[in-house]
Structure formats: C-alpha cells, structure tokens
Amino acid sequence: MAALVAAGSGLVSHLITGTLNDRTVAVGVAAFLTGLVATALADRVRAPPSPSSWPG
C-alpha cells in the first residue's frame, strides 16, 4: 500500500513538474494532495475499536 501511495505522489509530482517547470512547487503540491488523500482514506479504512475499549 505504501508503494502505491509513493507511486501516486511521484506521478502527481512528475505531471505538475511538466506543466509548471518548478520541481519545488510540484513536490509541495504532490505532498499536500497525498496528505489529503491519506487523511480521507484513514477515515474510511480505520479499524473498529477493540471490545476491551467498549464502555461497560
């Protein structure tokens, strides 16, 4: 899964570098977008709480 995220980030960075010609900005944008996607996915695929943490 981590390799897929890294590949996606690299692809976004490469595509933005091709249009903006500024690698620093492209990497910053790719990192920001990767963070947004990771946060959204973490909310969706979070493991359910363990029974030992249930009240009562």
Side-chain angles (χ1 to χ4, degrees):
M1 188 65 152
L4 185 61
V5 172
S9 179
L11 179 64
V12 169
S13 175
H14 180 72
L15 292 174
I16 294 173
T17 301
T19 59
L20 295 177
N21 294 326
D22 188 1
R23 183 147 178 84
T24 306
V25 173
V27 169
V29 170
F32 179 75
L33 292 176
T34 302
L36 287 177
V37 170
T39 302
L41 286 176
D43 288 341
R44 299 245 185 247
V45 296
R46 182 179 300 144
S50 64
S52 62
S53 67
W54 294 349

